Amino acid sequence: MSQTKNFNLPDLGEGLPDATIVEWFVKEGDVIKLDEPLVSMETAKAVVEVPSPFSGTVLKLSGAAGDIITTGAVLASFALDPNLPQRADGQDTGHSHGHAAPAAAAAPTPPPLPTAAAPVAAEEAKPAAAERDDAGTVVGAMQSSNAVHAEQALAVGGVKAVPAVRATARKLGVDLSRVRATGADGAVTMADVKQAAADGSAKIGAAPAAVAAPAAAAPAPAQAAAPVQSDARTPLSAAGKPMRTQPPGVVAKGQPEPLKGVRRNMARVMADAHSKVVPTTLNDDADIHAWLPGNDVTARLVRSIVVAAQKVPAMNAWFDGEALTRTLHAQVDIGIAVDTDDGLFVPALRNADMLDARGIREGVNRLREQVEARSIAASELSGYTISLSNFGMFAGRYATPVVVPPCVAIVGAGRARHQMTPVMGGVEVHKVIPLSVTFDHRAATGGEAARFLRAMMDDLALAS
């Protein structure tokens, strides 16, 4: 006798409260087998492919692409098929499932037919089914068979791409089936998608537009021109007189939209940090006039933080404001702030105190590439002992960077500049790097922060 079961969204990361649906690989009424890809979800740290915990018919999908699902909420409902393999009830998969319901209770309600939204889901499911060949991150203990995925992809002429690539393609409006793949075994890479978006060679819907009837397309420009003309901004009225200004609320346009994924988590983390930390910031300039050609700015900044952390351990520490305890660290793991279109990532450069300049550069490059490809492991986005924000690569001189608990300090490096510097017998033009050190004054004193900053400046003043 068949049963109906709910599948609740599991915790896809370290205590993450929710996740965003990227795309469903099935639609309501489809039959899915155990461990086959069910849905792709975006969390604050990664795009994760979630497999099906059951074999049977999909009765209900809770949400569409772009919807935010709370951890623990029902993600999908299934009518179990007793003739297909099922996971043993006692087997732990890391998923949270709803209680089973007797088939009799569900009998009066047949599997729901497509509603008004179903055609959209069906269209989304077509490319989704074609892209099941990737071996992206899988939740819990469930693993999908690459052989089965490859067979399905070939059967429908699909495209190989990891979940992060598919998510990026969706955001950029790129049709993966039209992208020239350069990855291993014909897989579409992140670079392929970005290139296609840049040159417009694989826009979604571009082909249908080209075959549209010329007669219908001809009047479109004229019709579209009218509203554009009326909405054009101008400082003059129709009579040629200056326009009066209005409060922002009167002319504001656009619709509010919920923050998702990385930006949603960033908002929570920053608000939490603001409510818990007692921040104080010190600023000064590091004179790098003596630098020899070929010095790597980021590598030198990392090295100076290591030197300063070893001289002032109180700044390379964690602080627990509830228990009022402090943990000093022997190793220096530096969180490197990486800015992306999706929001802020802070991957950890582990054991920076053991790396030379080349090792630092290779480590930073690796972290940036993994962040851009959204392939970085969640474990690499936490556990650092101090942070670095090299915002000067864009603009800005000084800042008040935010200390995120449990860390005690963060270093901000501004844009390098030349300035007149007094020397014996006159003045010289020296190049300097502005530094900002924000620290939690509950855990470190002003003297400790000042000595830390001084140690950084002294190390950066060395020729190499």
Side-chain angles (χ1 to χ4, degrees):
M1 185 172 59
S2 63
Q3 295 178 314
T4 62
K5 277 198 173 184
N6 292 332
F7 175 39
N8 300 334
L9 177 65
D11 183 355
L12 302 178
E14 301 167 350
L16 296 178
D18 51 44
T20 303
I21 298 173
V22 175
E23 62 178 325
W24 290 101
F25 300 131
V26 296
K27 61 182 182 295
E28 293 178 353
D30 283 355
V31 175
I32 189 172
K33 294 181 181 179
L34 178 70
D35 291 352
E36 286 185 345
L38 174 67
V39 64
S40 179
M41 305 290 295
E42 180 180 16
T43 71
K45 299 180 179 181
V47 177
V48 181
E49 187 176 279
V50 181
S52 174
F54 307 115
S55 294
T57 302
V58 179
L59 297 179
K60 183 176 178 58
L61 302 178
S62 301
D67 287 350
I68 298 172
I69 306 298
T70 304
T71 299
V74 175
L75 185 60
S77 299
F78 301 83
L80 303 190
D81 188 335
N83 299 318
L84 294 177
Q86 304 289 349
R87 195 174 306 280
D89 290 339
Q91 186 173 350
D92 182 16
T93 65
H95 292 80
S96 175
H97 306 152
H99 295 292
T109 305
L113 297 174
T115 61
V120 177
E123 291 302 315
E124 292 178 352
K126 291 178 183 177
E131 295 163 13
R132 293 181 180 175
D133 185 52
D134 72 83
T137 304
V138 178
V139 183
M142 298 184 179
Q143 294 295 333
S144 300
S145 166
N146 289 334
V148 173
H149 282 193
E151 187 175 339
Q152 292 174 338
L154 290 173
V156 296
V159 180
K160 295 182 179 180
V162 298
V165 171
R166 293 201 301 270
T168 301
R170 180 179 293 275
K171 291 179 181 178
L172 298 180
V174 172
D175 183 351
L176 280 176
S177 65
R178 302 171 58 198
V179 175
R180 180 175 176 272
T182 63
D185 297 327
V188 177
T189 66
M190 190 70 71
D192 296 337
V193 170
K194 292 182 178 179
Q195 179 61 37
D199 59 30
S201 61
K203 290 183 179 179
I204 293 178
V211 299
Q223 294 173 355
V228 173
Q229 183 70 20
S230 63
D231 288 344
R233 299 183 62 193
T234 172
L236 302 178
S237 67
K241 297 180 180 181
M243 296 281 285
R244 288 186 177 182
T245 60
Q246 294 178 316
V250 177
V251 297
K253 296 183 179 180
Q255 297 294 326
E257 59 181 21
L259 296 179
K260 299 175 183 177
V262 180
R263 286 189 181 275
R264 189 177 183 87
N265 186 65
M266 180 179 69
R268 291 194 183 101
V269 169
M270 293 299 134
D272 181 69
H274 181 71
S275 67
K276 292 181 178 179
V277 175
V278 181
T280 304
T281 303
L282 298 182
N283 308 111
D284 212 328
D285 296 323
D287 192 320
I288 61 173
H289 180 67
W291 278 20
L292 298 174
N295 268 285
D296 184 322
V297 176
T298 300
R300 288 298 302 270
L301 286 169
V302 168
R303 191 186 79 177
S304 69
I305 291 174
V306 169
V307 170
Q310 291 172 338
K311 291 185 177 180
V312 188
M315 299 287 279
N316 184 52
W318 289 345
F319 179 70
D320 185 337
E322 298 294 331
L324 293 180
T325 58
R326 182 181 67 167
T327 303
L328 303 181
H329 300 283
Q331 83 285 1
V332 183
D333 294 341
I334 302 179
I336 307 294
V338 178
D339 180 68
T340 73
D341 292 339
D342 292 328
L344 179 67
F345 287 80
V346 187
L349 180 65
R350 305 291 182 191
N351 301 307
D353 51 309
M354 300 178 64
L355 301 176
D356 57 10
R358 180 178 178 180
I360 292 172
R361 172 45 56 193
E362 291 177 348
V364 170
N365 288 344
R366 174 182 56 81
L367 294 174
R368 289 185 183 279
E369 290 171 0
Q370 290 178 346
V371 165
E372 291 175 357
R374 296 299 295 271
S375 62
I376 191 165
S379 59
E380 295 300 310
L381 296 172
S382 61
Y384 44 86
T385 60
I386 191 169
S387 304
L388 168 64
S389 175
N390 190 9
F391 61 86
M393 62 188 299
F394 301 114
R397 184 173 297 184
Y398 305 107
T400 54
V402 178
V403 177
V404 176
C407 288
V408 169
I410 180 174
V411 175
R415 189 172 184 82
R417 71 182 191 281
H418 291 87
Q419 69 176 21
M420 301 300 293
T421 302
V423 296
M424 188 68 68
V427 294
E428 293 179 351
V429 177
H430 285 195
K431 191 173 185 178
V432 299
I433 296 179
L435 298 177
S436 303
V437 177
T438 297
F439 64 100
D440 188 343
H441 217 323
R442 300 174 303 167
T445 68
E448 288 169 330
R451 289 192 293 274
F452 178 92
L453 180 56
R454 179 75 261 173
M456 281 192 65
M457 294 167 59
D458 289 345
D459 185 75
L460 288 170
L462 300 177
S464 61

